[in-house]
Amino acid sequence: MENMDARLHELFASPSEGALPPDVLGELQSMLRLHSISPQELFYKWESYSMKMGAEDVKLDLKTARAFKVDLQEALERENRSKSHLRTAAERRGNAPTSAAPRNRGIGGDGDILDGLIPKTPRYREAKTANGSASLKRKVDHEPPRPKEPVTPAHPSASTPGRVIGREGGAARHGAFADRANAGQVTETLNDHLPIPDPPLVPPAEPRVKLLVNTDIKKFSYRPMAMHLSEASEVLDDRIDDFATFIQAYHDLPDDALGNAAAQSTSEVVAVGRIASDALEGKLNVASLVLEMSRRVGAGLRVPLKFSGSSVAFEFFPGQIVALRGVNASDEYFTVQEVLTVPLLPVAASTPASLDLHHDRLRGGPSLEVLDEEHNIVSAPPPPPSPLHILIGAGPYTTDDNLAFDGLAELCAQAESSCADVLILTGPFLDLEHPLVAAGDIDLPADVGIDPDTATLTTVFRVLITPIVRRLAERIPAITIILVPSVRDVISKHVSWPQEPLSKKELGLPRVVKLVSNPVTVSLNEVTLGLSSLDILSELRQSEVVGRRALTSDILQRLPRYLIEQRHFFPLFPPAPIKSVASNATAGADADADMDAEDDVTMPMGAMLDPSYLKLGEWLNVRPDVLITPSNLPPFARVVASVLVINPGTVSKRRAPGTYARLVIQPATLTEAERAAGLAVAHKVFERARVDIVRI
């Protein structure tokens, strides 16, 4: 009990107070007993509760502790109701197979004969709704929500409204987006001493960005869910052996210094392996830590880990490749004496000549030749290159009560008004977890002339999303738009990560849109960007275990550093269980007092990995200058190991507008010595880039 109380003081007490008041400590102890959780897990739930309350720093006192306790109990009750509801729905369906596409209700089908005769058979609904728009329905694994009357979207650019689902006690207000508070407010800024450029009077005639995709996208067109266990194990083994090679070179270790941690020996060895858990279920903790060796070095054996004294600091997660110095004298466990540093990839760099080419592009072209007073041809002094302006948005792009995509329309409007050079959009676009999409309750405008019986989800994208993107491309022809898919996109045929790009032809997108894989590494002029739409940060937060003292106290610094050290967009293996992801989402969801037992609850999906192709998620040669990792964690911008890490947040939350990121990169400057040497110069984007997290 004393250890648990000390842990609660360490996690929850403010540095100024040093200890919790007895009444607050009693409430926290009561929550631990009621929910059978650890102090660390309770602290995670407290952080989620603080974010949900919307305050930057919620003070923990007796009043907030009791409110937090009530919130935990309500979340547990909602989870129990949803499980009961899903079980009841499954019993009603009798485990019948469901269709993944809008079903055809043609006249004369067997379903039409039975409609209305059998109680559990859905009745045939009219093809026209109350407002005259065509209705597109689909049967899914749970009962569809009760629809209210559709309303007109408030945002004029969102020309294709969806049906609005209301709660008991009042219909959902679709006009809430137009009435949103704090629109355009900057919530966080990095490098605020750098200015934001004024938009040009006239949009540029030519793109100011040269886009290069540094990833072999053709390799992403593999057949998902067709892997063999032998292939997956070889990929995981090769990763351990690769790390052992460059760790040995970095620390200048002799060949006999590397050894097998699972083999009994009184000699000290350096073991390179993968962190894993000794249990199939449950969160990783200090007692369950094991080190998995490769088949080449240790026959794939696992050995428990113990740490000698409190001086060994560590930050581990499942799947992490580590180098541990220690000894296995008992043949029962490996005693860790030191955790060796994993070397980082070199930073991105460019030669002065290539930087000058990029500067010419930012000026709008090379220097012009003019006539002087003596009619001699001379070069006019070039104008200074203007900064690169990038907007970053992450899905979902519409709230749960409609498919109007007001957030996407507003983000495109911001890109138009600021004359942005690049707009980066990461999925999901048509989100599989959206209640209306999951239920197939999608309304298409009557004026599009599409038969709902033949419409597909690709048609829905072309009608609801493509016009918004096309309007921006027509007004700013020089813009570059990058679309990154998500495993939650219903329009993607690729169900696993790594994921192939979407099809531009099927979606009817304009020429300026570049469809890339998930993940991908691209170059915008000299700037190298790493992009992935999978929420790795949230899963790392749920899966990590920190030793007696953390090496990095700021969790928003620590989580991205895992990716940089492991040289991978998704180093976690196996991914967090769906149950853990769902509980985290439930804890961080907006409070809704009107939720009842009959409401459908969409359970968040876990990471759908294809282990045979995880090598496609590796960083090959250099660290990216900018790493974009959308996450459900609070939006942030941090500099970690010379990498600018950005979480833009989501453009739309479940019931409210969200945030996006504005990135302004100043042109690189070179000294005379660097120009004279002619060698590659580090980009140092983190010093010349300003990042603003902006409310949509």
Side-chain angles (χ1 to χ4, degrees):
M1 178 63 70
E2 293 181 358
N3 292 336
M4 186 173 295
D5 291 349
R7 187 61 174 158
L8 289 173
H9 286 298
E10 178 185 352
L11 291 172
F12 288 91
S14 62
S16 59
E17 298 176 353
L20 293 170
D23 50 358
V24 176
L25 181 62
E27 292 292 341
L28 296 178
Q29 292 171 342
S30 174
M31 284 182 263
L32 293 180
R33 292 192 300 268
L34 286 174
H35 299 279
S36 299
I37 57 178
S38 65
Q40 184 69 52
E41 187 174 354
L42 181 65
F43 180 68
Y44 286 154
K45 293 182 181 293
W46 166 253
E47 284 186 325
S48 299
Y49 175 75
S50 301
M51 286 183 274
K52 180 175 68 177
M53 296 305 293
E56 297 294 334
D57 187 13
V58 179
K59 183 179 179 181
L60 181 61
D61 52 23
L62 182 59
K63 180 180 178 180
T64 55
R66 289 176 175 173
F68 174 46
K69 185 177 182 180
V70 172
D71 184 80
L72 281 183
Q73 186 64 29
E74 290 178 350
L76 180 62
E77 293 175 358
R78 286 197 300 267
E79 183 178 358
N80 292 336
R81 286 199 304 266
S82 66
K83 290 180 180 178
S84 175
H85 172 62
L86 292 176
R87 285 196 301 268
T88 304
E91 292 172 359
R92 288 199 301 266
R93 290 193 307 270
N95 296 326
T98 58
S99 174
R103 57 178 183 166
N104 192 336
R105 302 178 184 268
I107 298 176
D110 295 339
D112 295 335
I113 297 176
L114 298 177
D115 276 349
L117 300 180
I118 301 177
K120 294 182 180 180
T121 302
R123 292 181 177 273
Y124 179 80
R125 299 182 63 180
E126 294 296 328
K128 299 287 184 179
T129 58
N131 67 341
S133 62
S135 180
L136 178 64
K137 304 293 177 186
R138 183 175 61 158
K139 187 178 179 181
V140 291
D141 288 345
H142 56 77
E143 294 295 316
R146 300 185 301 274
K148 301 286 184 182
E149 287 297 323
V151 299
T152 305
H155 199 287
S157 61
S159 58
T160 53
R163 181 178 297 248
V164 177
I165 301 299
R167 300 280 185 190
E168 285 192 20
R173 291 191 307 113
H174 188 82
F177 184 86
D179 302 331
R180 65 194 186 280
N182 302 320
Q185 178 187 15
V186 177
T187 61
E188 182 176 339
T189 300
L190 179 68
N191 291 337
D192 56 357
H193 63 281
L194 298 175
I196 300 176
D198 295 328
L201 298 178
V202 179
E206 296 293 334
R208 301 196 316 135
V209 171
K210 182 179 181 181
L211 173 64
L212 292 178
V213 180
N214 303 326
T215 302
D216 190 355
I217 293 184
K218 293 182 180 179
K219 292 183 178 179
F220 287 78
S221 299
Y222 62 88
R223 290 177 55 199
M225 303 175 64
M227 66 178 180
H228 300 284
L229 290 178
S230 59
E231 296 176 358
S233 63
E234 288 174 2
V235 170
L236 298 175
D237 262 3
D238 291 344
R239 183 163 169 79
I240 298 177
D241 294 336
D242 292 343
F243 267 71
T245 300
F246 58 73
I247 287 174
Q248 181 181 5
Y250 178 77
H251 291 281
D252 195 19
L253 300 174
D255 292 339
D256 57 357
L258 298 178
N260 179 13
Q264 182 179 10
S265 174
T266 56
S267 301
E268 183 182 81
V269 297
V270 174
V272 180
R274 177 181 293 103
I275 293 296
S277 175
D278 62 357
L280 295 178
E281 296 182 354
K283 186 179 183 298
L284 184 70
N285 55 64
V286 177
S288 64
L289 280 172
V290 297
L291 184 68
E292 178 183 321
M293 306 300 297
S294 69
R295 287 180 295 182
R296 183 178 66 85
V297 175
L301 295 176
R302 291 182 172 185
V303 58
L305 298 178
K306 292 187 180 298
F307 298 87
S308 60
S310 60
S311 60
V312 181
F314 62 87
E315 298 165 346
F316 291 156
F317 62 88
Q320 182 180 9
I321 309 299
V322 296
L324 307 177
R325 188 190 302 275
V327 62
N328 183 357
S330 63
D331 197 26
E332 295 181 356
Y333 55 84
F334 185 75
T335 303
V336 180
Q337 300 169 353
E338 181 186 1
V339 180
L340 273 64
T341 304
V342 176
L344 305 180
L345 285 169
V347 296
S350 299
T351 61
S354 62
L355 290 176
D356 289 339
L357 291 176
H358 298 315
H359 287 177
D360 289 340
R361 191 174 291 108
L362 293 177
R363 293 188 186 99
S367 302
L368 300 176
E369 293 183 342
V370 296
L371 295 177
D372 61 6
E373 296 178 355
E374 299 178 357
H375 300 283
N376 296 321
I377 299 177
V378 296
S379 296
S386 56
L388 191 64
H389 193 178
I390 304 172
L391 296 185
I392 307 165
Y397 294 94
T398 188
T399 52
D400 280 1
D401 60 358
N402 67 81
L403 289 174
F405 291 94
D406 294 316
L408 178 61
E410 179 62 26
L411 181 58
C412 290
Q414 291 296 326
E416 178 188 348
S417 62
S418 62
C419 204
D421 298 301
V422 181
L423 174 62
I424 299 175
L425 302 174
T426 67
F429 299 97
L430 279 178
D431 189 1
L432 188 62
E433 296 181 7
H434 193 287
L436 300 182
V437 176
D441 194 5
I442 304 172
D443 293 339
L444 300 179
D447 56 358
V448 298
I450 296 177
D451 183 2
D453 292 336
T454 60
T456 64
L457 292 169
T458 302
T459 308
V460 175
F461 186 99
R462 294 174 65 104
V463 172
L464 301 184
I465 298 178
T466 299
I468 301 175
V469 179
R470 186 177 295 277
R471 185 181 302 109
L472 174 62
E474 292 173 352
R475 297 178 179 179
I476 310 291
I479 194 173
T480 300
I481 304 176
I482 301 175
L483 259 63
V484 183
S486 168
V487 292
R488 287 164 47 184
D489 272 312
V490 294
I491 55 173
S492 176
K493 300 176 183 177
H494 220 94
V495 297
S496 58
W497 190 96
Q499 185 181 13
E500 69 177 355
L502 302 174
S503 172
K504 180 187 292 188
K505 182 178 180 181
E506 291 181 1
L507 302 179
L509 294 169
R511 181 182 57 85
V512 298
V513 177
K514 310 298 181 185
L515 300 176
V516 296
S517 59
N518 176 30
V520 69
T521 303
V522 300
S523 293
L524 301 176
N525 293 345
E526 82 280 6
V527 181
T528 303
L529 281 82
L531 300 164
S532 177
S533 62
L534 200 58
D535 187 359
I536 176 61
L537 299 184
S538 294
E539 298 211 20
L540 283 174
R541 180 190 175 192
Q542 291 295 314
S543 305
E544 71 166 347
V545 56
V546 179
R548 295 172 179 85
R549 57 184 182 90
L551 299 174
T552 307
S553 58
D554 184 2
I555 191 173
L556 299 183
Q557 290 263 0
R558 185 168 69 244
L559 297 179
R561 189 173 183 86
Y562 290 145
L563 277 62
I564 299 171
E565 289 181 346
Q566 296 294 299
R567 311 178 178 197
H568 204 282
F569 285 103
F570 199 96
L572 181 66
F573 187 85
I578 295 179
K579 184 182 297 184
S580 298
V581 179
S583 62
N584 183 38
T586 303
D590 296 335
D592 189 355
D594 296 329
M595 181 177 290
D596 54 33
E598 296 183 0
D599 286 328
D600 288 314
V601 177
T602 303
M603 302 299 290
M605 299 186 302
M608 297 171 286
L609 303 183
D610 197 323
S612 300
Y613 294 91
L614 285 181
K615 197 172 183 64
L616 296 176
E618 290 183 353
W619 302 355
L620 299 180
N621 300 317
V622 297
R623 279 174 270 170
D625 296 312
V626 181
L627 177 61
I628 300 173
T629 59
S631 173
N632 286 328
L633 296 179
F636 66 87
R638 295 286 192 278
V639 178
V640 184
S642 301
V643 178
L644 178 56
V645 184
I646 302 174
N647 169 24
T650 58
V651 171
S652 290
K653 300 179 182 179
R654 295 179 64 88
R655 299 178 183 88
T659 58
Y660 67 95
R662 177 175 59 218
L663 174 61
V664 178
I665 303 176
Q666 301 292 329
T669 56
L670 299 174
T671 63
E672 293 299 330
E674 291 172 338
R675 286 190 176 278
L679 302 177
V681 180
H683 296 160
K684 297 182 180 179
V685 173
F686 62 91
E687 293 181 351
R688 53 189 177 94
R690 174 186 175 127
V691 182
D692 295 301
I693 305 298
V694 188
R695 295 186 187 274
I696 194 71

